[in-house]
Amino acid sequence: MSSIIHVAVAGANGRMGKEVVKMVLTDPNLKLVAAISRSNEGVDAGLLVGKEACGVLVRTDLEAALSGADAHVMVDFTTPHSVMANSRIAIRQGVRPVIGTTGLKPADIEELDKLCKNNGTGGIIAPNFSIGAILMMKFAAQAAKYMPHVEIIEYHGDQKLDAPSGTSIKTAEMIALNRQEFRQGNPNEEETIDGARGGLYNGFRIHSVRLPGVFAQQEVIFGGYGQTLKIRHDSYDREGYMPGVNIAVKKAMELSGIVYGFEHFID
Ligand code: NAP
């Protein structure tokens, strides 16, 4: 195998997918070998993302696009409804999944891990590839050791399909590793409007704000005696995820089974 990594992009017509195509086309150590989308069949992937033609035509059938493409890695930024089917197809063809699509359940992650191991391959599932967001999660996990009363508020655009966000779930999971489970708040609390207190995870709350004009933000708020601590991350642009995706594509080549969370690649 050459040292150039051959990359297929599922969701190439999407907002994240287009950034991935651009990133792959500009890294001499990566080669775009397939671009898959539900629309734009036959359009050159380079032209699709506003760059020069690259000779890779968008395909709508993932299985057909992968067979014969000699892809090593498939980056998936599609939808919670299609990511599992895409990943099963890729792994069965020996292609390593790097999954940014959110909405996967623990059982899905387990299934893909097993499938990878059975096929002698590996991959990465990361709800957030932004290095700043990973640091926010790590700092929140650290704070939870000393301030176990916590709530998460995440903000995204109003067209997002899944709630709460994959990032907030990952943050909650990392907090839970450092916080003994207990139910926060008044035990007699009553919601007069359903959902007013947000979703309950391990005894603490996650709130999802969905508004046009918002890109991606998250606050983790800790409450203590006479004080609060807020850890906040703001994403302004999809380009901000690309250094992380680039690292993940390269790391995926060394893995056996699925690594869940980009934080495992940041010391
Ligand atoms: P988007 O703009 O709606 O793009 C999704 C794309 O997926 C669409 O272009 C659609 O193609 C394509 N698609 C749907 N089903 C498909 C299938 N079966 N095969 C191939 N392509 C398919 O969404 P986005 O904003 O790029 O976000 C995509 C996902 O990434 C979401 O789950 C989001 O939460 C997640 N995300 C993750 C991170 C991270 O760091 N991990 C960061 C941002 C977003 P058509 O356009 O042709 O219909």
Side-chain angles (χ1 to χ4, degrees):
M1 186 170 51
S2 80
S3 58
I4 306 274
I5 301 171
H6 294 186
V7 183
V9 180
N13 189 45
R15 290 162 295 188
M16 287 297 288
K18 278 184 175 156
E19 291 300 326
V20 178
V21 169
K22 282 191 230 168
M23 181 276 286
V24 172
L25 290 175
T26 47
D27 183 339
N29 295 310
L30 305 179
K31 183 178 175 196
L32 185 75
V33 294
I36 303 96
S37 171
R38 280 183 308 193
S39 52
N40 286 304
E41 170 90 24
V43 174
D44 187 285
L47 297 178
L48 184 73
V49 302
K51 292 179 81 76
E52 282 175 21
C54 66
V56 174
L57 305 185
V58 172
R59 306 286 300 271
T60 49
D61 182 335
L62 177 77
E63 193 146 19
L66 289 184
S67 57
D70 190 24
H72 304 141
V73 172
M74 178 196 74
V75 180
D76 189 296
F77 281 98
T78 58
T79 69
H81 309 296
S82 45
V83 58
M84 282 302 287
N86 289 353
S87 304
R88 288 186 194 109
I89 290 170
I91 297 167
R92 289 203 181 102
Q93 295 206 25
V95 181
R96 295 166 178 267
V98 168
I99 300 173
T101 309
T102 53
L104 288 180
K105 308 268 185 314
D108 298 329
I109 298 169
E110 208 175 304
E111 181 194 325
L112 295 183
D113 182 49
K114 276 195 191 136
L115 204 56
C116 275
K117 285 175 178 153
N118 290 342
N119 282 269
T121 187
I124 297 169
I125 298 173
N128 202 316
F129 281 107
S130 146
I131 288 162
I134 299 297
L135 291 174
M136 175 257 300
M137 292 183 217
K138 284 190 173 238
F139 297 153
Q142 195 183 0
K145 284 185 193 167
Y146 307 99
M147 300 182 77
H149 290 261
V150 56
E151 302 212 5
I152 299 174
I153 309 177
E154 55 95 349
Y155 308 75
H156 281 87
D158 63 337
Q159 296 307 305
K160 185 169 174 57
L161 291 172
D162 49 321
S165 69
T167 302
S168 67
I169 296 171
K170 184 71 194 166
T171 310
E173 289 169 352
M174 288 170 68
I175 286 172
L177 293 176
N178 283 346
R179 173 188 176 277
Q180 198 151 30
E181 185 173 350
F182 74 99
R183 178 75 180 253
Q184 286 176 198
N186 190 325
N188 300 319
E189 176 182 83
E190 271 179 43
E191 282 183 335
T192 51
I193 296 179
D194 277 352
R197 289 287 292 117
L200 191 63
Y201 180 91
N202 261 50
F204 62 96
R205 301 285 179 174
I206 306 178
H207 310 265
S208 297
V209 178
R210 295 289 178 266
L211 285 173
V214 178
F215 183 50
Q217 282 131 16
Q218 181 167 294
E219 270 179 4
V220 188
I221 309 174
F222 295 88
Y225 292 105
Q227 60 186 312
T228 60
L229 168 68
K230 289 184 186 167
I231 301 172
R232 181 179 170 106
H233 177 257
D234 299 273
S235 280
Y236 300 109
D237 198 307
R238 286 177 184 85
E239 244 183 283
Y241 297 106
M242 291 308 121
V245 176
N246 185 287
I247 292 170
V249 166
K250 292 168 184 169
K251 290 280 182 194
M253 296 302 292
E254 303 160 8
L255 299 175
S256 167
I258 290 286
V259 172
Y260 168 52
F262 190 62
E263 70 279 7
H264 298 293
F265 304 104
I266 295 182
D267 291 334

